[in-house]
Structures are given as structure tokens and as C-alpha cells.
Amino acid sequence: MASRRLALADEPRALPSRYLTPDDLVEMFELPSVETVYQWRRKRTGPRGFRVGRHLRFDPADVRAWVDSRREGAAA
């Protein structure tokens, strides 16, 4: 079972076609809270986000690029 999980973890997952919210990132990455997403933004360590009025949104392509860059850094 563990080997199946590892195999699935290596495959890219499909992201929604809509812009993502901080709550979406919390759910996707199983983060402790939405505050983690805001800390990433303040520290400029997370995926690139943008504001729509007072709402923070993330382009799925930017999230995928961020994940890929994190994976590449981990492989080095």
C-alpha cells in the first residue's frame, strides 16, 4: 500500500480550472491553517498569488509551477 501511495505522489495531479483560494491550498496540501498560506505570501516562499479586491487568489498554473520547483529542489 505504501508503494502505491509513493507512486501516486510522483504523478502530477489535475488542478481545477478555476482560480484557487487560500482554503483550496489548505485542503490540497493538508496545511494546518489558512494562516500558513498567508505566511508563505509574506515570506515570498509560496506560490504566486494575486488580489481580486480584498480576496487572495492563485492561478493553478502558478501553483503547479511552484510545486514543480519545490520537487526539483528536493531532488537536488
Side-chain angles (χ1 to χ4, degrees):
M1 182 90 166
S3 61
R4 179 160 167 71
R5 281 192 199 142
L6 290 176
L8 291 176
D10 291 337
E11 297 173 9
R13 294 185 184 165
L15 291 171
S17 59
R18 63 176 174 78
Y19 291 120
L20 303 170
T21 67
D23 288 325
D24 291 330
L25 295 185
V26 168
E27 184 178 329
M28 287 170 50
F29 297 115
E30 299 177 5
L31 300 172
S33 74
V34 74
E35 185 56 34
T36 302
V37 177
Y38 290 111
Q39 285 179 14
W40 286 349
R41 185 162 165 81
R42 279 192 297 273
K43 295 176 182 178
R44 297 176 190 251
T45 59
R48 190 171 57 168
F50 61 96
R51 292 251 173 223
V52 178
R54 64 184 187 126
H55 303 285
L56 181 59
R57 295 293 182 261
F58 298 88
D59 187 322
D62 290 336
V63 173
R64 172 59 63 199
W66 177 75
V67 168
D68 290 345
S69 74
R70 303 293 294 176
R71 294 175 82 186
E72 289 170 7

